[in-house]
Each structure stands twice: as structure tokens, then as C-alpha cells.
Amino acid sequence: MGANRFTEMHPQNKLYQNFRLLTTKNTESIDSLLRDEEFNPSFERSANELIIGENMKNNNQLILNLSDNEWPLEYIDHDRQIARAIAFDDEGYFYFVRVKRDDDFGKATCIETAGGGVEAGEDSDVAILRELEEELGAVAEVLCKVGVVSDYYNLIHRHNINNYYLCKISAFGEKHMTKDEIESFHLSTLKLSFDDAVAEYERCATTPLGRLIANRELPVLMRAGELLNLLDK
């Protein structure tokens, strides 16, 4: 995690200052949370929760339009609406899928967000909860939409419209993966800290497919980090 997440609370601390700025009408109760300017875990939780809530309320969705620079463009003959999740739990861990494939895209081991195609008549915010249950066995709630990334897989002539959601996981149960997800993509679950997830995307960006995925998902992960107050600003 970023160093600021568990930093000591002090009147000169940035999180303390931001919290007071957001609650100027109630500074006496804020000050009462501090005892002799020492670290107070209940204060940090309250401050983080309020700032995260404000971040999501004021969220400007990320909009990216990317090209496929790995394979030549011949033609695009179909679009795919996709729902994807930056999913995390109460302990601050993030959950992804490990993909191992050896097909037309080449041999690659990648990290990718859980997600998949939006079915006919299905809303993307509903689709992502279904996908989280299928691929991770996770019960989750959608906190907000992070944004939309348009990218291309020239090799299969496809335009991807990726709808990204920030989701909080509350429980885990049984996965319900498809035959292809099990036998062709060999999906498994990755549980990582924020910093380790960023490093894993960078590590896997050594293949053409890995670079396409990293180019699409790293900006979304960083935006989620901003929303969750994990990054120095």
C-alpha cells in the first residue's frame, strides 16, 4: 500500500487537514478524536471513510480511447460491451484473475480484472456482480463507476467497451467459471496489495497481450487508488 495509508495522524498530517477542510462546521468533535496529538485509529478510520465518500461523490469518470499497437489493423467487425471490477476487501487487498493462455494471442501469463461480457438486456453494473461471483466466488457491492476504456483487439477484429466499477467484496463462496475459463484460460484468483498489483501489471507487460491489458487497466487501477485515498497527491 502507499505509505500514506497508515501514516501517523497529526495536525500537520495531510489526511488530518483534508478531514478538517471537509468538516469545518464540526472541528471541535474532530479535535476531540485526538489525544495529545497522538495516533488515534478511530480518527484515521473516520477520516478515511469521509474522504473516500467525498472522492466517490465528486468522481469524474475516467474516459480512455486506446489503440492496439501490437497487431496490425485489418478491420473491426464487432463491438463487445464488457463489465470489469477493481475489487477490494475490508483489509485493503485487491482481487484479480491470473490468466494463463497459449493461443492466437501467443503464450502469456497475465493479471487482469475480473469481468466479462454484458448479456443482452443486462445492465453493466448488474453484470459485474454476476462476473465477480462467477470468476472469484465473491459477493460484492458496486461503490461507483470508475470509467470506460475503449480498446481494440485487432487480431480478432474486436472493439472492446470496458465499463470499470469499484467494488467492495464482503464474502467469498463457490466459483462458477465456464469451461473455457477453466481449460483454455486457466483462471485463478490473485490477492494483492495495491502496490503489488501495480508491480504485477508491469511485470506481465512483457508479451503483446500483457501490454494491451496493462495499457488498459493500469490507468483504471491508479484512478481507483485516488478514489480510495491510497496515493500521494
Side-chain angles (χ1 to χ4, degrees):
M1 294 288 179
N4 64 323
R5 183 155 187 235
F6 297 111
T7 190
E8 182 176 327
M9 298 310 302
H10 183 279
Q12 298 303 314
N13 177 269
K14 180 180 66 178
L15 182 57
Y16 175 88
Q17 293 169 343
N18 289 346
F19 188 60
R20 288 196 65 152
L21 184 63
L22 290 169
T23 56
T24 52
K25 295 181 180 179
N26 197 24
T27 53
E28 289 185 5
S29 63
I30 295 168
D31 290 334
S32 70
L33 289 170
L34 296 174
R35 296 191 183 95
D36 300 322
E37 300 184 0
E38 293 180 355
F39 172 69
N40 187 318
S42 66
F43 174 82
E44 185 189 22
R45 285 194 299 272
S46 298
N48 268 312
E49 286 169 5
L50 180 60
I51 293 172
I52 289 168
E54 287 292 314
N55 286 348
M56 292 181 187
K57 184 173 70 175
N58 299 320
N59 178 29
N60 292 318
Q61 290 185 20
L62 181 70
I63 304 295
L64 290 178
N65 295 290
L66 305 177
S67 300
D68 179 352
N69 296 318
E70 303 296 335
W71 283 277
L73 173 62
E74 296 177 345
Y75 60 90
I76 299 297
D77 61 11
H78 63 294
D79 298 333
R80 190 185 191 208
Q81 287 284 344
I82 302 169
R84 297 188 175 279
I86 302 295
F88 69 101
D89 65 13
D90 271 332
E91 296 181 348
Y93 287 102
F94 290 77
Y95 293 82
F96 305 86
V97 292
R98 168 73 78 207
V99 183
K100 295 182 179 181
R101 56 193 297 167
D102 187 1
D103 51 24
D104 291 344
F105 284 93
K107 188 172 184 178
T109 298
C110 303
I111 176 177
E112 193 168 18
T113 52
V118 179
E119 297 177 354
E122 185 180 38
D123 292 331
S124 58
D125 58 343
V126 174
I128 191 51
L129 297 180
R130 172 180 54 77
E131 289 289 343
L132 285 170
E133 183 178 5
E134 291 174 358
E135 295 185 359
L136 299 179
V139 177
E141 63 173 320
V142 172
L143 300 184
C144 69
K145 190 169 186 176
V146 182
V148 179
V149 180
S150 165
D151 72 341
Y152 293 84
Y153 287 168
N154 290 346
L155 189 66
I156 57 174
H157 317 295
R158 193 174 83 193
H159 174 213
N160 306 307
I161 302 100
N162 303 277
N163 299 272
Y164 281 93
Y165 293 90
L166 186 62
C167 299
K168 187 174 183 181
I169 295 173
S170 58
F172 286 94
E174 185 178 353
K175 300 178 183 179
H176 301 281
M177 293 190 290
T178 66
K179 183 178 180 180
D180 278 346
E181 288 170 340
I182 296 170
E183 298 180 1
S184 299
F185 303 144
H186 308 284
L187 294 193
S188 59
T189 300
L190 286 176
K191 176 183 178 181
L192 300 169
S193 71
F194 181 84
D195 291 340
D196 286 344
V198 171
E200 185 64 14
Y201 273 103
E202 294 171 345
R203 188 187 72 80
C204 291
T206 56
T207 64
L209 181 60
R211 284 190 288 274
L212 287 179
I213 294 172
N215 288 343
R216 181 182 72 230
E217 303 212 323
L218 267 177
V220 181
L221 181 58
M222 300 306 288
R223 178 61 181 141
E226 292 175 353
L227 292 171
L228 292 171
N229 201 44
L230 299 180
L231 304 180
D232 291 319
K233 299 176 184 178

